[in-house]
Structure formats: structure tokens, C-alpha cells
Amino acid sequence: MRSPSSVTPSSDTRRGVLTLTGLGVALVLAIVAGVAFGAVSVPLGDVVGAISRSVAGRGSTALADAVVVDLRLPRVLLAALVGASLALAGVLYQALFKNPLADPYVLGVSSGAGLGATLALTVFGTSFAARALGVPVGAFLGAILTMLLVVRLASRRGRVDATSLLLAGIAISYTLSALTSFVLVFERQSMTSVVFWMMGGLGSRTWGHVALLAVMFAAGAIVPLLFHRELDLMLLGDERAGQLGVRVERFKLVALGAASLVVAGAVSVSGLIGFVGLMMPHMMRLIVGPRHRLLLPASVLAGAIALVVADLLARVVLAPVEIPVGIVTALAGGPFFVWLLVRKERLR
């Protein structure tokens, strides 16, 4: 990753403002397309009318209103929030570990959150209270404990080795996925629904899921938005960051907690969706540079766009059959991950 000092502030800011404006427009267009298209298309005028009536409190029994307001709009907004959460976590992990290959899926954090959520469902059942409270709490505990374990395994003499971090993350991810499957063996009644959830999907989600993830995303985003300068300094190395006033270890714990919170929120409502947190920060870093003041919002917007589009493709490519969105992102993210590995080796 480039050093923040290698970028001219004025050109960086100008390019960043244009990029953020373009991404904002693209996100609005993606949301409109996500609501309008699907197994049954809804004309744009009906989409606008349904949303307007809902906002004004004038309910309607029309089929288009039900499809737009009760089914597609919460699903599309949830996709945007999940993509934004995963991209935000990817930016944080890559900055903290100074590793361009770090993301929630590769590091095993998503698998840890998945195991925690599965255990919560197994212990507390599938009631509304269990899903509303038990699953997010279980996912958060699974995510933070997994992150601490992976960092511990990859640490040597107080330093986190980049290669060991990836290997430990992949090994832990496979182990936790196996444990999740083992748990499901004893929960045959809920196996089918949980397996589809683990594959990553946004079907049958409600406004309650949107509200839950919105709260967790807002809480997790506070830290990186307030401390983007510290994230810039972390790219210079722990020692140099400490010399410049960053309380390195404490900041790492707070930032890892924030990343784990948004990953847990995303996993608890959508299952395991990989590679969004890997691809979006990389793409945006090439456009706006490494400064987190711009990289963070750009990656969040790009992640939201990517998952809204991926979810739309998952619904329309084989309609009326719906593909789990995690499969769509894996088909795009797998080759991207290989390209990053090859590029990293060539730059050595």
C-alpha cells in the first residue's frame, strides 16, 4: 500500500470529492434498479409512487406497493448496509495489519461470527427475541474472539507477521466452518435454513433487519470516522505511529472492536458473504489514494453499490430461481484474490 505522504493533498481531495459524488449517484441508481427489477419488474413510476405514499403515511393495498415497500426496498437497503459494513471492516483490517489481503472473510472473522450466530440460534431458539438479540450478540462474540485468536497465532515477538496472519485466518476459518456444520448435525430441523443463511442471502428480510444493522453500522463507523488520521499513521508502522502520538495497542483494540461489530451485524442478517471487504478498499485506494478521510467513505459507498448489484444479479440471472448472493460475490472475489496474490509476489 502506498504511504499517505506520497499523495499530494490538493489532487487527492479533488479526485476524492468527484469520486464520492459519482459513487453517491451510482448508489442511488443501483437502489432504484434493485427495487424496480426482479422476477417481476415494477415500472419506475410505480416505484416512486409506492415510496411516496409510504413516506406520506398513505397506505395502499396495491400489489406494486406491497412488492416495493414490504419486500424489495428493505432487501435492497439491507444489501447496501451489508456491503458498506463489510467494506468498512476491510479498510480497518488492511490498515491495522498493513496487509492488503486482509478482509473479514479471509481472516476467519466472518466464520467466527457465523459460528457464534449458529450457537445462539441453537441455544436460544428461533423466536423473534432470539433472532433480534441473541444472534447479533453471538455473532459479535464469535467475531471478536476469532480475531483475537488469529492475531495471537500470527504474532511473533510482539509483531504480526503478514503471511502467518493469512494462514492462521484461513485455517481458523475452515475449522470454525467445520464446527458450525458439526453443530448443525444435531439441529437437523433447522439445518436447511441455516445452511442457506451461511451461503449468504438476503431473502425474506424485513425492516427490522434493516434497523438492526443500521444501528450496529452507525456504532461501528464512529471510530474510523473520528480517528481516520490515526489509521493513516498506522500505515507507517507501529513504532512510528507511537512516536507520532498514537496509543497503538489501545487504538488497535478499539478499531478491531469496531470492525468486529460491523462484521457481526452483517453476518447476523445475511450470513457469510465473502470478498466485498477485500475488493472494495483496493479499488477505491487506486482511485482516491490511501488517506482514510476519503478512502473510508469511498469504500463504504462502493461496498454498498457492489452488494446491491450482486443481489440484483442473484435474483434475475436464473429467475425465478434465486442464487445465494454469497455465491455471486465469491465468483467475482476468488479471481480477484488470486490476482492480488500474484501482484503482491511480483512487487517483492
Side-chain angles (χ1 to χ4, degrees), residues 256-270:
L256 286 177
S260 299
L261 181 63
V262 295
V263 172
V267 171
S268 64
V269 299
S270 67

Side-chain angles (χ1 to χ4, degrees), residues 96 223 227 234 245-257:
L96 293 175
V223 172
F227 299 99
M234 290 299 294
V246 180
R247 296 184 176 181
V248 175
E249 297 306 320
R250 191 171 74 172
F251 178 70
K252 280 184 177 178
L253 286 177
V254 174
L256 286 177

Side-chain angles (χ1 to χ4, degrees), residues 97-156:
F97 299 124
K98 295 172 280 297
N99 190 326
L101 299 177
D103 103 314
Y105 196 73
V106 175
L107 294 177
V109 180
S110 293
S111 296
L115 177 60
T118 302
L119 288 173
L121 285 173
T122 303
V123 174
F124 301 112
T126 57
S127 64
F128 175 79
R131 288 184 175 274
L133 297 175
V135 171
V137 171
F140 176 70
L141 292 175
I144 193 72
L145 291 175
T146 302
M147 189 70 265
L148 293 175
L149 176 61
V150 170
V151 171
R152 179 70 184 84
L153 291 174
S155 297
R156 295 288 184 277

